[in-house]
Amino acid sequence: MKRRDLERHNLERHPLERHSLDRPTLNPVLVGGMVIAMAGLLVDLRGMVSPVASGSHHEACQGTVNQQVTLSREQLAQLLTVPERDSRDRITQIAGAPYCQLQNIQVRAGVAAERQVYPLAFDPQTRLVILYEGNEYAGYRFSFQ
Amino acid sequence: MLGIALASNKPPIKPPLQRCWRNAWTSLMAIALLGSACSQAPRPVRTVPIQQSWELQLGSTVGKHRIAGGLGDISIEMKGDRVYIPFDGEVQSNDIPGCYIYSTPDVPAYLFRLCGLKSGKTGRVRSGDSLGSADYLHFAALRRQPDGTWALVEPSKEMLERMISK
């Protein structure tokens, strides 16, 4: 094709090309959706929808605190083998005196519950909470901060 | 030059309907993206194996009607008042429709089942949070057994008071 022919051809193509670009018709629904999506990605709404703060706080200790008390991996492993309903002494033999005690509560009618706390030596942010009812070991839970 | 000629003969203008569909589809994708950005990690439904087994259990039916509270549940007339969380913890949906399981590391060895809430929220909760309101709250305290099941026990007045007053 000669150069002149080519130029003519390009001139002819121009009007079509404008159509073929498919003008970015600013569809309000599309733009609105994209803006909301971008905002949604930038702002974490979770904290507003449900008040979930970063980490929960440990319940405050009552009475004396034995700062030096922690639970080793071996002690923890041994503790987890003790079944619920075993005696309180069995736990004390393994874990020793607790780091601290939480406020006494009554979960079950007529039975006072005692809660003792042992921070983990290898993960001090995590603590093991043990619940006793009288002389009976009722169970444990890990409390994460 | 055959290609150019062909291109000029076939203008790639999309029919208006097709363009509309494409835009609608993109908008839907954008909204879906927003939805996924906001949604929390799914909390699995917690099934709690109960030690006691009765014929008339919570969630089963009598005639055409569902049992809203069984033996072991304390039903409290709440008259639309709110239920509160006494200790930081977690709320999960129960496999019994309309019931929630509340657990907290501050009270080891126990779970609490709450049924009858008009709307409950799940996930991590903090002390003092409202769990929702109820006309009648059916409350059960469950104590962990050595075999992994949970026994319905009589909850203390103290625990109930903590749940229904801030």
Side-chain angles (χ1 to χ4, degrees):
Chain A
M1 202 180 278
K2 285 179 189 168
R3 191 180 164 184
R4 200 175 160 187
D5 283 346
L6 195 65
E7 275 172 5
R8 190 167 56 86
H9 209 90
N10 281 344
L11 279 172
E12 278 171 2
R13 268 181 66 220
H14 258 284
L16 279 175
E17 221 166 36
R18 260 197 303 199
H19 281 288
S20 69
L21 272 174
D22 196 5
R23 275 173 300 169
T25 45
L26 294 172
N27 183 335
V29 179
L30 172 64
V31 173
M34 286 180 78
V35 167
I36 295 169
M38 290 296 280
L41 287 174
L42 291 173
V43 182
D44 190 359
L45 293 169
R46 279 179 289 182
M48 287 177 240
V49 174
S50 59
V52 176
S54 55
S56 58
H57 68 272
H58 289 315
E59 199 185 324
C61 286
Q62 302 284 313
T64 52
V65 175
N66 302 317
Q67 291 285 355
Q68 76 286 354
V69 170
T70 52
L71 213 57
S72 69
R73 286 181 198 277
E74 292 72 28
Q75 283 173 308
L76 178 65
Q78 260 188 292
L79 270 182
L80 297 181
T81 62
V82 180
E84 293 86 352
R85 298 292 154 80
D86 213 319
S87 73
R88 183 192 183 120
D89 298 341
R90 179 108 180 257
I91 299 292
T92 316
Q93 276 168 15
I94 298 167
Y99 169 82
C100 75
Q101 196 143 346
L102 301 180
Q103 192 183 14
N104 285 357
I105 53 164
Q106 212 182 80
V107 193
R108 203 150 61 100
V111 183
E114 242 180 84
R115 297 173 294 164
Q116 296 190 341
V117 174
Y118 294 87
L120 303 186
F122 50 95
D123 185 7
Q125 296 298 305
T126 303
R127 58 188 210 175
L128 188 78
V129 184
I130 289 174
L131 190 136
Y132 299 108
E133 286 180 337
N135 200 34
E136 194 178 273
Y137 160 64
Y140 72 90
R141 274 289 297 265
F142 289 106
S143 178
F144 305 96
Q145 196 161 34
Chain B
M1 292 303 114
L2 189 63
I4 293 171
L6 277 174
S8 61
N9 285 341
K10 280 174 73 181
I13 300 172
K14 291 183 174 150
L17 187 67
Q18 193 183 336
R19 202 166 59 195
C20 176
W21 273 114
R22 198 196 56 194
N23 285 348
W25 179 245
T26 316
S27 306
L28 275 175
M29 289 296 283
I31 291 162
L33 191 66
L34 172 68
S36 64
C38 288
S39 66
Q40 291 195 31
R43 303 271 171 188
V45 172
R46 181 159 188 179
T47 305
V48 181
I50 308 288
Q51 191 198 37
Q52 298 99 322
S53 163
W54 292 301
E55 197 178 318
L56 298 172
Q57 301 234 26
L58 179 74
S60 59
T61 51
V62 176
K64 288 192 296 183
H65 303 283
R66 196 178 140 262
I67 296 174
L71 193 60
D73 291 285
I74 302 282
S75 298
I76 306 162
E77 194 179 11
M78 294 295 289
K79 292 181 177 169
D81 283 349
R82 292 181 170 278
V83 176
Y84 296 100
I85 294 296
F87 303 100
D88 289 14
E90 190 176 17
V91 176
Q92 293 162 288
S93 295
N94 190 213
D95 59 329
I96 300 167
C99 296
Y100 295 88
I101 300 294
Y102 163 57
S103 62
T104 165
D106 291 329
V107 185
Y110 283 94
L111 288 181
F112 304 98
R113 187 176 67 190
L114 299 108
C115 306
L117 291 163
K118 285 178 191 166
S119 63
K121 67 171 186 180
T122 53
R124 282 173 65 180
V125 286
R126 302 202 76 166
S127 167
D129 280 0
S130 164
L131 189 53
S133 59
D135 289 330
Y136 287 93
L137 173 72
H138 310 288
F139 182 90
L142 301 152
R143 189 172 187 249
R144 193 177 155 81
Q145 302 301 296
D147 64 359
T149 61
W150 298 82
L152 286 155
V153 294
E154 185 188 9
S156 69
K157 200 175 170 190
E158 180 193 331
M159 199 64 207
L160 280 169
E161 278 170 348
R162 279 174 184 262
M163 299 288 308
I164 60 171
S165 52
K166 201 165 184 175

